[in-house]
Amino acid sequence: MKPPPRAPASAAKLLSRPLTECVACVREGAALPSDLVSAAFDRADDIGAGSESLNVFLATDRERATEHAKGLTALIGRAEAPGNLAGVPVAVKDNIATLDMPTTCGSRILEGYVSPFEATVVRRLRANGAVIIGKTNMDEFAMGSSTENSAYGPTRNPVDIRRVPGGSSGGSAAAVAAGIVRLALGSETGGSVRQPASFCGIVGVKPTYGRVSRYGLVAFGSSLDQVGVLARTVEDAALGLEVIAGCDQFDSTSADVPVPRYELEKNAGLKGLVIGKPREYFPERLDPRIAQECERALDAYRELGAEVREVSLPHTAYSIPVYYIVAPAEASSNLARFDGVRYGLRVPSERGLAGMYEATRARGFGPEVTRRILLGTYVLSAGYYDAYYKKAQSVRALIAQDFRDVFASGVDVLFTPTTPTPAFELGAVKDPYEMYVSDIFTASANLAGVPAMSIPIGDARGLPVGGQIIAPHFAEPVMFRAAFGLERALAGELLPGEKSA
Amino acid sequence: MAVTGQDVLKVAKLASLAVDEGKLDALARELNSILGHMEELGKVNTERILPAEGLSSGGQRLRADHGPADALAHAPADFAPEMRDGFFIVPRLATHEGSSERTP
Amino acid sequence: MSAAASPDYEMVVGLEVHVQLKTRTKAFCGCSADFGAPPNTNVCPVCLALPGALPVLNQHAVELALRAALALDCKVNATSVFARKNYFYPDLPKGYQISQYDRPLAEKGWLTIGELDDGTPVRVGITRVHMEEDAGKSVHDRYAGATAIDLNRAGVPLIEIVSEPDMRSAAEAGAYLRLLKQILSYSGVSDVSMEEGSLRVDANVSARIRGATQLGTKTEVKNMNSFSAVERALDSEFARQVALLESGGTVTQQTMLWDGAKGETRASRTKEESHDYRYFPEPDLPPLVLDMEWVGRVGRAIPELPDARRKRMIGEYELSAADAELLTASAGMSEYFEAVARASLDPKAALNWVMGEVSAAVNAAGVRIDEFPVRPADLGELLRMVREDVVSHTAAKRVFARMVETGKPAAQVAAEEGLQKVGDDAALVEWIDEVLRENPAEAARYKSGETKLQGVLVGLVMKKSKGRADPRKVNQLLSERARV
Ligand SMILES: [Zn+2]
């Protein structure tokens, strides 16, 4: 087979420009969507996105993507509205249902499974002219913080390929960080967008619970899950979120709240904004390089005219235990549908139906998923429900109350480190609980349902450091305002690549 | 409340997961280690706290009683492990030989 | 040994009734809830439990569940919560059933199933009414060694009505079920057909020494496919328990299956201790918070229930209590009667016709009253024609028969068949003269004053006219002819 023609240099260059420029060029006919798609695939080839190197994608379909792109060109030719992401190549995490590529969730149990319906977020991307170029690698069923739990091999961090990209949306983070796409969808349950964004030096947004439809997002912890966006810049992330956000008739937990234009916050000043610095997120043992970068960011806020106020979220320490009861409990139930009856893997057994169930699930699920199903089943089982699940949900209510209290006290947003450490090396974290602690600063926002995002704030010995901004429910605009301001203030010293330029 | 190998076996049965006999104790140790951290929650007084029950406070949005349902782009036969005459086919449950009994 | 032969023990029964709600679509997706489609054709991502699908609750299902709850005098909870009941079964696609658990839709109602000899009402408490979804269908006997799964039913909305253990005999259980069925049918909640599976009954039965206050160990009896099967199963299971207790044994809490052919219950083979459903609040559905004003409107819009209708009908149409009871046994029949009574302005005639001709014809045709070809307005017209002497009573029965066959209105049938009464003197005189000519002996005796022959002669005229002659006029004209 002869290799597809390479994209013109102008298209390749356009991929490193902000999305607004990209979309404007496409709309004006200065760039063809198919050239942008080619540029993305060329970049993936050049950088080694394949399974032997970065292992970013679990599926790509260059032919289909090119077809879609040509369809868009026809639309633009007929002067029909091509949408806010016209021609933009987008990578989608593999737990989000798509019609044209498999949706495996990084699991053997769904190997080759092609969904007969598409997630609402994907429909919205397509309706806005985006072109889905591939499905990204992830920890199996989004259970993990390093993408090492993928059944299809780990993804590597483009900043340093000996290190993990974080997880579970590691493939999406790597796709953006490696410059293959400007925008990718990930999903969050306890930090799975923000933590990899932080590890890879990009922007990652977890919206308010209910802001984005979960229809078509394969459930892990239903009361925590939310689709999020990964992007190079705050503005790109704002544009991406605006497209996928909104109420959905197919998701009872999606909120009927109007979607503001987040990118309008770009030029809003931060004068008078109150930034809360919760002391529980700056423990003594915090990596000093991370602490230092956070202080620099807080100084920048002060310089922008914001007030930095020390606050307390007293129940923070319990967020990991609560999270690791609630999420596995819900997961143990959500993953019951993978039984080999209607779709996915089926392993026959001599022991009839029960044997088929057990063999299918034992073979289909990897060790971490198995561990969490067992844990979740245990905490829900007779005699333990009150001590674990009910207790955890009660403490969760207190964690949510902490956020309400601090925001009611006049604090507009909170600023914290995103992770306790920078990206670690593959295989470095072996104990499951030690891995769970990667979510220590992120899981609380999922438990409380509030929006949070990570933006690059500097580096620690060449490894990206992320700062987290947390806002009240549906207050994404003020969260973006704080992010735009900080990004502006720190401009020029963010990504390793941009630094040397 | 320490988890034993037998507990793991019981839970695995509930979860329809085959677990190697040889791995039961290791799994029990792992679960105990994780659950040990969960004991922290015992320190929090939650006596008068209502458990979080869904984060949307406004209650449930309902749908009108009409279709269409979201369409299937391809039929179940395209993804089902085994189908015959439009039915999904599974091995017959041992307790159902010659009876139409349904447990729950 | 029959239950009646052991006077030392009394039966204690509580019933769990599952009722399919009469909605167009399923509980949590837009798929049709109709029966009879080819397997796995009324399915979508939601009811197939495809990865990523989510439930969205059907408002009409809530409305129908509320109607049932309010008709049973339950207290509706302003906030109720859906939960997941987790277990593996091939026709349960998600691996859990969405149901309500510790916070049901409604609680603490009651149903009066009759009265004691001294007039004390016999009440059965309703513990709770909660919403849930049905599972699919497992077909075990179609293929050797395999079970076939059809998910068309999966996700169809149900309510479960749980009673207190307030019934003391199979007959009381039967009365409860029949009344419950009547109420659910009247209020439009369900088709309540055990044959079609839209109503299913499980019974909790225990035996205790009469006068004891503590309940005995109960068993749950399942697999009964008619009300009479429920009654027989209860008697049989009670007898089994009593025999066990009398021989010094103890009752084991377990699930029993009714075997109608053998007329006995037998223990289910599934192990009780294997059930640990791990209920927890369904995170995909926020709590169901009801607008109590809406609940009030739903309550006010409930169609009249049988008890109220009986009382009203006795007053409005001067029916006997027995007739009212018979008429209101079915919501459809009583509605039909009322429509006929109103259209004909003759409740007495309407009652006779509905209980007589109509019931017979409906039964003969094997149709539901709402499918019966003679609509109440048309029957009302026919009765009006009888009262206004347009057709004779005899002719009316023939008109009705044709209406059943053709579905045409009464006046049209009567005209087409020439069954209107003939009151026209000339035509009548012609028939009378013919009869007198054909029966000269009787005519002569009649004319000579033997007036008792009048009846015979009128009969002959009626016969000649094929029932169309107006007998009153024939009598009058015949007398006049005699005096000539
Ligand atoms: Zn459906």
Side-chain angles (χ1 to χ4, degrees):
Chain A
M1 215 171 78
K2 120 178 149 300
R6 285 188 71 88
S10 60
K13 225 172 245 161
L14 209 45
L15 272 190
S16 61
R17 304 296 305 153
L19 282 182
T20 48
E21 263 181 53
C22 217
V23 172
C25 281
V26 167
R27 282 180 166 168
E28 289 156 11
L32 289 175
S34 53
D35 287 343
L36 290 174
V37 167
S38 287
F41 281 107
D42 291 348
R43 174 72 181 163
D45 289 345
D46 293 349
I47 197 148
S51 56
E52 66 292 337
S53 178
L54 289 180
N55 199 19
V56 172
F57 293 106
L58 294 179
T60 53
D61 192 336
R62 186 166 189 157
E63 227 168 280
R64 285 270 190 91
T66 308
E67 246 172 70
H68 278 149
K70 286 184 176 152
L72 279 167
T73 308
L75 271 186
I76 295 162
R78 293 199 300 271
E80 287 175 38
N84 292 336
L85 293 176
V88 173
V90 176
V92 171
K93 190 177 180 179
D94 203 35
N95 59 351
I96 298 173
T98 50
L99 284 175
D100 50 3
M101 281 173 272
T103 299
T104 72
C105 300
S107 180
R108 290 283 171 215
I109 212 159
L110 281 175
E111 192 163 3
Y113 168 76
V114 180
S115 172
F117 75 105
E118 214 153 49
T120 298
V121 288
V122 173
R123 296 180 202 193
R124 289 190 173 165
L125 283 178
R126 292 200 199 279
N128 276 277
V131 180
I132 315 296
I133 65 153
K135 301 295 288 291
T136 58
N137 199 5
M138 57 183 284
D139 286 301
E140 184 178 5
F141 285 105
M143 296 177 187
S145 306
S146 66
T147 317
E148 290 168 295
N149 293 336
S150 168
Y152 306 98
T155 296
R156 289 162 183 276
N157 193 326
V159 178
D160 176 350
I161 62 159
R162 289 167 308 163
R163 293 175 188 270
V164 302
S168 64
S169 312
S172 286
V176 173
I180 301 167
V181 289
R182 293 283 306 183
L183 185 68
L185 296 190
S187 74
E188 274 252 3
T189 306
S192 280
V193 164
R194 287 163 289 161
Q195 186 254 20
S198 166
F199 277 16
C200 293
I202 60 170
V203 176
V205 179
K206 181 208 89 82
T208 305
Y209 186 81
R211 177 70 290 179
V212 177
S213 168
R214 293 187 293 119
Y215 187 68
L217 168 68
V218 182
F220 162 14
S222 310
S223 72
L224 304 153
D225 294 344
Q226 214 27 214
V227 174
V229 292
L230 297 115
R232 294 297 280 247
T233 63
V234 174
E235 185 186 46
D236 285 0
L239 284 171
L241 178 59
E242 205 177 301
V243 164
I244 63 168
C247 190
D248 179 14
Q249 55 161 336
F250 290 122
D251 178 1
S252 306
T253 61
S254 77
D256 194 1
V257 175
V259 181
R261 297 195 51 196
Y262 304 119
E263 81 276 11
L264 296 183
E265 302 295 327
K266 187 175 183 180
N267 298 313
L270 298 195
K271 212 167 184 59
L273 201 73
V274 180
I275 313 266
K277 180 193 174 194
R279 68 175 68 94
E280 293 80 4
Y281 287 72
F282 294 86
E284 297 257 318
R285 59 180 191 286
L286 181 63
D287 186 320
R289 295 159 302 177
I290 288 178
Q292 191 188 319
E293 295 300 309
C294 284
E295 287 309 326
R296 215 162 57 88
L298 288 167
D299 284 341
Y301 272 129
R302 289 187 190 96
E303 275 168 38
L304 289 167
E307 178 198 336
V308 174
R309 194 185 290 173
E310 185 146 321
V311 296
S312 171
L313 296 159
H315 296 94
T316 301
Y318 304 110
S319 61
I320 289 299
V322 168
Y323 177 82
Y324 279 94
I325 290 171
V326 174
E330 293 180 0
S332 71
S333 174
N334 285 329
L335 269 53
R337 66 187 58 196
F338 302 101
D339 58 4
V341 175
R342 297 165 313 286
Y343 48 79
L345 181 71
R346 172 186 292 194
V347 179
S349 157
E350 311 254 285
R351 293 193 306 108
L353 180 69
M356 186 277 276
Y357 281 157
E358 293 181 3
T360 298
R361 292 163 60 78
R363 180 108 43 98
F365 294 135
E368 182 60 28
V369 174
T370 300
R371 187 179 294 126
R372 294 207 202 179
I373 290 176
L374 292 174
L375 181 62
T377 305
Y378 181 78
V379 298
L380 287 175
S381 64
Y384 301 103
Y385 180 87
D386 284 358
Y388 290 113
Y389 186 79
K390 197 166 168 217
K391 180 80 186 180
Q393 287 288 38
S394 301
V395 178
R396 179 181 182 180
L398 293 172
I399 290 170
Q401 189 59 44
D402 280 357
F403 282 102
R404 276 196 295 276
D405 290 347
V406 78
F407 289 128
S409 76
V411 169
D412 293 303
V413 296
L414 298 164
F415 182 84
T416 79
T418 307
T419 56
T421 67
F424 44 84
E425 290 185 7
L426 270 86
V429 180
K430 290 196 176 66
D431 175 62
Y433 197 80
E434 197 188 321
M435 186 70 88
Y436 298 171
V437 173
S438 301
D439 301 335
I440 193 157
F441 299 143
T442 48
S444 53
N446 301 80
L447 291 169
V450 295
M453 67 191 286
S454 176
I455 73 167
I457 56 166
D459 71 272
R461 281 195 227 122
L463 294 175
V465 172
Q468 174 173 237
I469 301 164
I470 307 173
H473 289 99
F474 297 103
E476 278 89 354
V478 69
M479 175 178 84
F480 275 112
R481 194 192 312 166
F484 274 121
L486 186 57
E487 186 185 51
R488 213 164 43 230
L490 300 173
E493 43 187 52
L494 306 179
L495 289 170
E498 290 173 354
K499 221 172 159 184
S500 56
Chain B
M1 27 182 140
V3 181
T4 64
Q6 279 312 299
D7 293 335
V8 174
L9 195 62
K10 195 182 123 212
V11 167
K13 277 274 166 224
L14 278 176
S16 281
L17 275 168
V19 177
D20 259 353
E21 292 272 339
K23 287 189 185 158
L24 286 178
D25 288 337
L27 276 167
R29 270 195 304 279
E30 252 175 32
L31 291 190
N32 277 321
S33 152
I34 296 166
L35 287 166
H37 294 278
M38 310 299 164
E39 305 295 333
E40 279 288 290
L41 298 182
K43 292 181 190 162
V44 189
N45 181 0
T46 50
E47 229 169 85
R48 285 195 276 172
I49 306 297
L50 280 178
E53 215 167 53
L55 294 162
S56 343
S57 51
Q60 200 173 143
R61 206 170 48 242
L62 304 175
R63 48 171 272 270
D65 183 21
H66 58 66
D70 192 19
L72 297 173
H74 44 267
D78 288 354
F79 47 78
E82 191 181 351
M83 274 199 121
R84 219 180 295 168
D85 308 328
F87 290 100
F88 294 103
I89 299 296
V90 297
R92 191 183 292 174
L93 255 176
T95 51
H96 284 73
E97 293 295 344
S99 107
S100 60
E101 165 185 346
R102 194 178 185 290
T103 320
Chain C
M1 186 184 73
S2 91
S6 43
D8 295 335
Y9 287 90
E10 78 173 345
M11 185 196 290
V12 176
V13 182
L15 295 175
E16 292 171 10
V17 179
H18 285 89
V19 179
Q20 183 186 331
L21 301 174
K22 214 156 97 181
T23 54
R24 275 201 288 275
T25 63
K26 294 184 180 182
F28 299 113
C29 61
C31 288
S32 165
D34 286 348
F35 283 120
N40 296 306
T41 51
N42 286 343
V43 292
C44 75
V46 179
C47 53
L48 284 173
L50 296 183
L54 296 169
V56 182
L57 182 59
N58 182 338
Q59 169 165 27
H60 194 52
V62 179
E63 186 173 341
L64 293 178
L66 280 173
R67 264 195 224 173
L70 294 168
L72 296 170
D73 282 296
C74 287
K75 196 170 83 39
V76 171
N77 289 324
T79 301
S80 60
V81 172
F82 285 90
R84 292 185 183 179
K85 179 182 185 181
N86 296 282
Y87 63 94
F88 283 87
Y89 203 85
D91 63 20
L92 187 73
K94 295 187 293 291
Y96 54 83
Q97 178 196 30
I98 302 179
S99 180
Q100 293 187 307
Y101 183 53
D102 52 3
R103 294 175 74 184
L105 183 77
E107 297 169 273
K108 299 191 185 87
W110 46 268
L111 186 57
T112 306
I113 59 167
E115 51 184 47
L116 301 177
D117 294 340
D118 63 0
T120 322
V122 179
R123 273 188 175 187
V124 174
I126 306 291
T127 315
R128 56 190 274 147
V129 173
H130 75 245
M131 301 183 68
E132 59 186 35
E133 59 175 337
D134 208 347
K137 199 172 78 182
S138 295
V139 183
H140 299 292
D141 51 9
R142 191 179 168 113
Y143 305 109
T147 294
I149 309 293
D150 174 13
L151 298 177
N152 284 347
R153 257 197 105 96
V156 161
L158 305 177
I159 47 172
E160 181 173 346
I161 301 167
V162 182
S163 88
E164 293 289 307
D166 285 351
M167 287 155 276
R168 294 292 173 267
S169 66
E172 281 190 7
Y176 169 84
L177 289 172
R178 274 178 273 273
L179 196 54
L180 187 65
K181 174 176 166 161
Q182 221 180 54
I183 287 175
L184 296 173
S185 161
Y186 265 70
S187 49
V189 167
S190 171
D191 286 331
V192 283
S193 156
M194 273 187 106
E195 292 73 34
E196 285 175 22
S198 56
L199 187 150
R200 301 195 284 271
V201 182
D202 300 330
N204 290 305
V205 202
S206 61
R208 68 176 171 195
I209 291 178
R210 204 170 291 280
T213 48
Q214 238 178 339
L215 293 173
T217 304
K218 67 180 179 188
T219 58
E220 186 173 21
V221 186
K222 291 175 178 272
N223 203 32
M224 300 157 295
N225 55 15
S226 69
F227 289 171
S228 61
V230 172
E231 289 173 310
R232 287 191 297 140
L234 286 175
D235 278 331
S236 159
E237 173 61 12
F238 177 62
R240 186 190 71 86
Q241 291 186 10
V242 169
L244 205 58
L245 294 170
E246 283 186 332
S247 66
T250 52
V251 175
T252 314
Q253 182 160 352
Q254 61 185 336
T255 300
M256 305 296 294
L257 299 174
W258 170 244
D259 185 332
K262 290 192 183 143
E264 61 182 33
T265 58
R266 59 179 165 78
S268 158
R269 271 172 290 181
T270 49
K271 279 173 266 143
E272 211 58 30
E273 60 274 19
S274 66
H275 299 319
D276 180 348
Y277 293 125
R278 291 157 285 135
Y279 281 99
F280 72 102
E282 163 60 293
D284 288 332
L285 296 169
L288 178 62
V289 179
L290 294 171
D291 171 358
M292 292 315 270
E293 231 169 84
W294 179 59
V295 175
R297 281 200 302 279
V298 170
R300 285 190 296 279
I302 292 179
E304 186 180 40
L305 296 177
D307 209 31
R309 183 168 296 176
R310 263 193 298 280
K311 283 183 186 134
R312 182 175 57 76
M313 282 187 162
I314 290 170
E316 198 170 329
Y317 305 111
E318 297 175 347
L319 303 181
S320 70
D323 285 340
E325 182 79 38
L326 271 173
L327 263 182
T328 54
S330 127
M333 203 53 111
S334 59
E335 275 153 24
Y336 191 93
F337 160 76
E338 282 210 75
V340 175
R342 284 189 188 134
S344 68
L345 304 172
D346 190 349
K348 201 86 215 152
L351 178 71
N352 290 334
W353 276 81
V354 171
M355 305 295 282
E357 306 291 322
V358 175
S359 291
V362 165
N363 288 338
V367 294
R368 289 201 318 265
I369 183 72
D370 58 321
E371 300 162 344
F372 187 56
V374 181
R375 300 320 305 145
D378 294 334
L379 179 56
E381 190 198 348
L382 178 60
L383 301 196
R384 213 171 50 238
M385 287 164 71
V386 172
R387 206 183 57 240
E388 288 167 2
D389 271 343
V390 181
V391 293
S392 69
H393 192 74
T394 323
K397 292 196 175 176
R398 293 179 52 194
V399 172
F400 179 74
R402 286 294 291 157
M403 289 167 73
V404 174
E405 283 165 35
T406 63
K408 289 179 182 168
Q412 191 187 339
V413 171
E416 281 174 11
E417 303 281 311
L419 289 169
Q420 277 126 323
K421 266 190 195 173
V422 176
D424 167 42
D425 284 7
L428 293 178
V429 167
E430 203 169 300
W431 280 326
I432 290 168
D433 286 348
E434 258 177 62
V435 166
L436 294 177
R437 260 201 312 278
E438 286 161 12
N439 303 278
E442 284 81 359
R445 280 160 61 198
Y446 177 67
K447 282 184 176 168
S448 65
E450 206 171 324
T451 49
K452 67 179 180 192
L453 279 171
Q454 170 130 353
V456 176
L457 290 169
V458 169
L460 288 168
V461 173
M462 292 307 293
K463 196 174 167 193
K464 185 166 282 293
S465 75
K466 297 197 179 80
R468 284 177 296 162
D470 180 343
R472 200 166 37 80
K473 277 207 139 166
V474 172
N475 268 304
Q476 187 194 330
L477 288 171
L478 193 59
S479 318
E480 284 167 14
R481 301 305 283 173
R483 283 193 296 274
V484 172

